[in-house]
Amino acid sequence: MNFDMNFNVNLTQTLTQKLSMEQVQHLAILQLSSVELESYIREKANENPLLTLTEANLQSMDNLIDLSSIQTDYRSGNYANSEFLQSLIVEKHSDVDFLIEQIPLNMNLSPTDLKILKYLIHHLDHNYFLDVDLNEVADKFDVDVFHAEDILRLLQTFEPIGVGARDLKEFLLLQVQSDPDAPCLAADFICNHLEKVANLSIKFLSSCYKISVKETQNIIFYIKSLRPVPSVQNPASEEYIIPDISVEKIKNEWIINTQSQLKSSLTINEEYVELLKQNDENENYFQDCLKDVMLLMYGIEQRDRTLYKLTRTLLTIQSDFFEKGMESLEPINLKDIAVLLDLHESTISRAIKNKYLKTPHGIYSFKSLFPKGIANKSGKKDSVMLIKQKIADYVEYEDKESPLTDQQITDKLLQEDIKISRRTVAKYREALNILNSDKRIYLYRQ
């Protein structure tokens, strides 16, 4: 078969007929964030000799945004769909490396102890709690369980505090032990009366330990301030983000930009093309590599088109949000958007996964722009976020001598045409970390 430099046109015509068979692949690209997409492109470049990256353009990591300011920067471009992917997301692996790098070199660990330590590291769950029984570890490495526990204690000295904990109680204790300012009875409260702490049984604990109510209260509040899980904070994946799309208003018109650096960095290695074309035996391999490159480019382009169409639709539906911010967000669900874009709901779900949008007043996850809503008497929906804010406001300005009960809050919401059950009010109140009325009045009187 004769290949000339018009192979791009020929291949495009061929692919057009086969794209329906490759949609699953394209959907995988759609669900990747910018950072994940860059990793995937690099992976494909290592596998495919025809694919070349222009490194001068492929510098998206330089545009990382500090998540602590979760409302900031972005650029422009064009992307899309594809699906053989999630195995390439390696955040967990990088966190394992982070822990292995902390193995002390000066402890002269025996080869067996080193293997046990690495085994424990590789058997942490997604929250970095230990996910294997120490008896099993002892049997596997032919040591007694006390020896295995010693190695676990070494792991528990690593960062972050609490890594390797076997349950919540042990994790809380590890935090207390590492804090020189922890109240002296905090460990006792956790070991012996954690349920009482959770239920704010202040009188019981005060009587049990023969300490003042105030001191008991301080210990409980300290314990409640501790972190719930020892997750490793991966700076590349959790503390920084790259917005996938940005919107800005110029001369009273909204402009949408997607990040184009990745696609513009992809080129076909023509020298390698010529090499392959010189030998007829390479024809099938050449075709496969070329098809893979074109599918990747098509996937990126489709990703961008979907994100662009989604953002354009949100600009219409959530116009007040783009002008004023989160307080003006209207309830909307994925199905509504899917109908408007003539796409499947699962496609919208993939499109918003781990994606961020830059607006004039900050950066937001796409997912946060789909708040749930509850219908009021007028038929209009009030967002759950708005209802929670109302509950918080009611409590903030309530009579401290007679705090509002959940039923009273339910009645106040009903007066504002928001009809929800007392049980739902209780659920939202707990999500806001607001105590019930009995416990609030007790605290107000201290």
Side-chain angles (χ1 to χ4, degrees), residues 275-336:
L275 254 171
L276 290 178
K277 284 163 59 178
Q278 290 172 14
N279 189 337
D280 290 341
E281 294 179 2
N282 294 325
E283 180 178 325
N284 290 337
Y285 177 65
F286 169 70
Q287 285 278 36
D288 290 342
C289 289
L290 193 54
K291 175 183 174 182
D292 200 38
V293 171
M294 298 305 290
L295 283 173
L296 175 62
M297 290 181 172
Y298 177 83
I300 295 174
E301 182 178 338
Q302 288 299 100
R303 176 182 180 275
D304 265 3
R305 285 181 183 173
T306 303
L307 285 176
Y308 179 88
K309 287 162 65 178
L310 172 62
T311 305
R312 185 179 61 191
T313 303
L314 286 172
L315 274 167
T316 301
I317 295 175
Q318 300 283 20
S319 57
D320 285 347
F321 158 75
F322 286 96
E323 294 284 357
K324 304 170 188 175
M326 291 297 281
E327 67 276 4
S328 302
L329 208 54
E330 294 289 336
I332 189 173
N333 57 46
L334 298 183
K335 187 176 180 180
D336 296 332

Side-chain angles (χ1 to χ4, degrees), residues 113-168:
D113 288 350
L114 192 57
K115 287 179 182 178
I116 294 173
L117 184 54
K118 289 183 178 179
Y119 185 84
L120 294 175
I121 289 173
H122 282 92
H123 283 77
L124 301 173
D125 68 17
H126 68 285
N127 284 322
Y128 297 89
F129 283 100
L130 188 66
D131 198 23
V132 64
D133 187 88
L134 283 185
N135 288 302
E136 180 184 327
V137 176
D139 290 340
K140 180 176 178 64
F141 293 96
D142 197 23
V143 298
D144 61 56
V145 71
F146 300 105
H147 188 87
E149 188 140 13
D150 286 339
I151 303 300
L152 176 60
R153 286 200 197 94
L154 173 59
L155 172 60
Q156 290 174 346
T157 65
F158 290 11
E159 292 291 334
I161 293 169
V163 66
R166 283 163 284 189
D167 52 35
L168 174 62

Side-chain angles (χ1 to χ4, degrees), residues 92-108:
K92 174 72 174 177
H93 181 68
S94 62
D95 290 338
V96 167
D97 291 342
F98 169 70
L99 292 169
I100 287 177
E101 287 171 2
Q102 296 181 61
I103 295 175
L105 301 176
N106 59 349
M107 286 192 66
N108 297 319

